[in-house]
Every structure is written in C-alpha cells, then in structure tokens.
Amino acid sequence: MPDRNPSSTAQRFAALRRRIRRWMRPPRRIRFSRAGWFFSAGSVLLGVAAIGTGNNLLFLMLGGMLGFITLSGWLSEQMLRRLEVRRRVARATAGEPARITYELRNGNRRLPAFSVEAGEEDQEEARAWVPVVDPGAWVTGRAETVWEERGVYPLETITLSTSFPFGLFVKERDVEVPGEAIVWPRTDRRVREPRPAGQRVRRSGEAFAGQAGARGEYRGLRPYRAGDDPRDVHWKTTARVGEPVVREYERDRSRALWLCLDLRAPEGDVAEAAAEIAASLAAGAARRGDAFGLATQDARVRPGTGAAQLERVLDALARARFRADAGRLEPPVPAGECVLVAASSREAGWGEVFTATAATGGGR
C-alpha cells in the first residue's frame, strides 16, 4: 500500500511487518527450477539404486551428478557475490506502466556475470534481465511495473537472481537500496477549464459553482477539445466545416489559478476522485500555459508555469493525505479567486467548486 500517512498506526504496523519479514528472510536463497527438481530427484533415485546394487558404474554416475549440482551452486554464487546495484525510478502515474532502471556493476576482476535479473523484493513480476555484465563494467537493465493507487511507495530491497549456468536452480541475493516511488494521480479526467469568475455550470458527476464575470477578450476560433464549455461552440462555423469549433478568449496572465484541494474526507474512491480532478485541472492549466499553484491543508506549491510546475503539483498531490479530522483549508488568496476541489461540498464563497461525488469516485 502507498505510504500516505507515515505516522498512522496502520503504517507503523506495516513497516514493522516488513522489517520482521526481512529479518526472517535469508540474504542468500536458492530455489529449484522444474528441471532442477527432476535432476535432484533423479540423483536421489540413482543413489538408492547404487547403494542397493553396489554397481560401480551407478556410483560413478551419481558422483558426476552431484558434482554437476555442486558446480552449479558455486558458479551461481560467483555471478552474484560481487555485483553492485543502483536504482532509478521514473515518475509514475497510477494505473499506468512505470519504468524502473537498474544499474549493475560487476566487481569481479576476471569472471563476467551471466544471466542476471534485478527487481524489487515484493514485485516478482517486474524484473530486469541482463545477459552479461563484464568485469568492472556497468550495465543497465529496465523493468516495468504498475502501481494502481497514487501515493509514495517505499522501496527498500533489490533482489538479484541468476539461474546460470545450467538452469537447475535460481540463486537469489538481497541488496538493501533504500528509495521511494512517487506515484502521481491520474490526469485524464474530463474536466472543463475552470473559470472562478464564470457563470454556474453543471456537469454529470461533478458540480461547479461560481459567480458571473468577465471572461477576457475574444481571440478567435479553434477546434473543440474534450472538456471545453459547450456554451463556447460557434454554431455557424461548426455547421460550415462539419466539426465542432469553439470561441477562444484571452485570459488574464497576471492572475494565477489557485487550485485548493480540501483534504477533509476519509480515504476512499471519492477522495481519490478529488485528487484526480485536481491533477486534471493542473494538467489542463499546464497545457494552456497558465500560471497555477496548489494549496492543501498540508502543502502549498507557489504559482508557476510549464512541465516542471506540473511535476511539483503532482508530487504534492501524490503525498496528499485525506483524513476526516483535517483542519479548515485556508486559501492563499481570497477564496473568491480560488478553485476549490473537494470530496463533498462544504462552504460557499469560493470562485468555483469542483465536487467529487460517488459517480466520479467509481470506476477506478
């Protein structure tokens, strides 16, 4: 589970369970492959037959098979014992594949390491495979995994493994490499452009409220994009070209868009929908080139523009911790100039309110 509340009792127990599991887990492990089970069973049967019959040829074959097993264990240990590993995690989005990059260095001066896999201790399905790591060389391997929920996921142990040389056994070695994966909320929710001074708008699954006001000077026409206000459709041009066309207005660039996310809600689908609405609004502002910032009970991101600003806002949203006992959200500027995103409608006086409901919270 993502670590959204490190101080909570549940998170402390989860961390304790992880420490106990790592303490009980041996740093070196060996697993039998299917071929290894057959080979080992055959060795046992051959040994029983050799002892029962006293046949020298059977003893000779048994010795060869046991030597084969011993050589396999020794070579697989040599592949892993001098390997160094580093991890780099790209920013991830909930529900989408995320890339983890592992950098391996072979500290052995003479012997290369063959057929090495690297992956997280608790993610057996996400493994990076490297065919060979030459002595003293660095090699990069990549793996993909999916985190279904936003949050901050602790990464503590990297498991290195190899089935070299004969594929009979899989030797594993754990390496402690502390880190974390920051998983952003989704930014693909269909939400229209916020207008804190605009008229009241209603949408299925989300509620918006605001006051009438200026919308800026008319700039021209452009093709319709998902989330545009239907009131802006220019029907004569739409009928002439056969595709939806909307009016576009200049925005006042001197005033930043403040997104205020109210964390006063229990964790669940509706709360996650509120985080995704805030992320989608921020992504829309970044695409338009608007200046935008974020305020919650726990964090505040100063207004800015561009992709870097969007990353800062998404990082803050990934760490946002919804809870019923959160204090009142204090806006950084007058509330009438802010856009409130909440799991439920609470207060009047905001420039515009995006409310997540059960309809928007479902279907994750």
Side-chain angles (χ1 to χ4, degrees), residues 61-73:
M61 293 177 61
L62 176 63
M65 296 181 72
L66 294 179
F68 204 69
I69 293 174
T70 303
L71 180 63
S72 178

Side-chain angles (χ1 to χ4, degrees), residues 152-225:
V152 179
Y153 291 76
L155 303 176
E156 298 171 345
T157 304
I158 297 176
T159 298
L160 303 176
S161 63
T162 183
S163 58
F164 184 83
F166 308 121
L168 300 180
F169 315 101
V170 178
K171 178 68 73 66
E172 295 182 339
R173 171 192 166 206
D174 288 340
V175 182
E176 297 296 325
V177 184
E180 64 181 17
I182 300 177
V183 182
W184 292 337
R186 290 167 42 193
T187 60
D188 58 353
R189 283 189 174 268
R190 297 186 61 181
V191 292
R192 71 172 182 82
E193 179 182 345
R195 291 175 179 145
Q199 297 179 355
R200 181 179 179 85
V201 179
R202 296 181 61 188
R203 279 195 46 163
S204 175
E206 296 145 9
F208 310 93
Q211 298 177 349
R215 299 173 60 187
E217 297 181 1
Y218 173 75
R219 184 166 65 180
L221 301 176
R222 62 168 174 80
Y224 176 85
R225 292 195 293 260

